[in-house]
Amino acid sequence: MNRVICFLIGYAFGLFQTSYIIGRINGIDIREHGSGNAGTTNMIRTMGTKFGLITFAGDFFKSFLAVVLVGALMKNRYPDILPILKMYAGAGAVIAHDFPFYLQFKGGKGVAASAGLVAAFDIRIFLVSLAVFLGVAAITKYVSLGSLCCYAVFFIQVLLYGMAGAFHMTRPHLIELYVVAFLLTLLCCWQHRQNISRLIAGTESKTHLFGKK
């Protein structure tokens, strides 16, 4: 039950759909423009870098705050499985962001929301993952490729830190943590399936993160 509660806390935070709200304030439905995705990259392409950064910040902090809240609520009650509970909270926020029920389950791809999850979960993992994302996206101009590489590095780091004993949990609990992290990685790949196809075909759109073409 504690896992369900943490997931639902994250889910509630994740329903704050930043790009959709910003778009509506400016008289558009972001899902009807550009790629149709309610996320940071499409906001940069459609409305420019400023609104894209605001979108990223909103999506980042909704997951970040959900994980921090769960950490504060559960640290004294379940200290032996706190990393798992925090991961469930982040997973709830990402899933709500990707599939908001009040928008016919048509949201974003969860990259910014995932970044907030990772930052609140473990800052060391976040900094390495961020460096990989920025490096790949800056060199290739493919945000999707940067996101996929970032998630892969995130999962690898969770495995390595877990095996090194950094999470201070029993083996069954570590395996559960690995499974949740792996499922989030698979979700990222699924959400980027069209991007993956375009990357393979060489037709993926390039995006300049710090300036609109």
Side-chain angles (χ1 to χ4, degrees), residues 21-97:
I21 294 170
I22 292 174
R24 282 304 188 188
I25 291 173
N26 287 274
I28 70 169
D29 183 342
I30 188 62
R31 300 170 303 160
E32 297 175 354
H33 297 266
S35 66
N37 179 256
T40 300
T41 303
N42 196 33
M43 283 295 284
I44 292 175
R45 291 172 178 166
T46 303
M47 297 184 65
T49 301
K50 180 182 75 172
F51 288 110
L53 292 176
I54 294 173
T55 297
F56 179 87
D59 292 342
F60 177 95
F61 280 109
K62 67 185 181 186
S63 292
F64 183 89
L65 292 174
V67 176
V68 169
L69 176 60
V70 163
L73 292 175
M74 301 296 181
K75 66 180 180 181
N76 293 325
R77 298 182 63 187
Y78 304 103
D80 56 326
I81 58 169
L82 190 59
I84 293 176
L85 299 181
K86 291 166 70 175
M87 189 69 78
Y88 274 110
V94 172
I95 290 174
H97 173 81

Side-chain angles (χ1 to χ4, degrees), residues 59-165:
D59 292 342
F60 177 95
F61 280 109
K62 67 185 181 186
S63 292
F64 183 89
L65 292 174
V67 176
V68 169
L69 176 60
V70 163
L73 292 175
M74 301 296 181
K75 66 180 180 181
N76 293 325
R77 298 182 63 187
Y78 304 103
D80 56 326
I81 58 169
L82 190 59
I84 293 176
L85 299 181
K86 291 166 70 175
M87 189 69 78
Y88 274 110
V94 172
I95 290 174
H97 173 81
D98 288 3
F99 311 108
F101 70 88
Y102 65 97
L103 295 178
Q104 295 77 49
F105 303 98
K106 186 179 179 183
K109 295 179 180 177
V111 175
S114 296
L117 181 171
V118 179
F121 178 77
D122 192 304
I123 191 62
R124 299 165 298 181
I125 295 177
F126 170 74
L127 290 175
V128 174
S129 300
L130 177 63
V132 169
F133 169 78
L134 291 175
V136 173
I139 292 170
T140 68
K141 302 299 185 297
Y142 292 132
V143 172
S144 57
L145 182 59
S147 301
L148 291 165
C149 291
C150 176
Y151 240 114
V153 170
F154 153 72
F155 177 63
I156 291 170
Q157 288 183 93
V158 170
L159 288 176
L160 293 177
Y161 276 113
M163 289 186 289

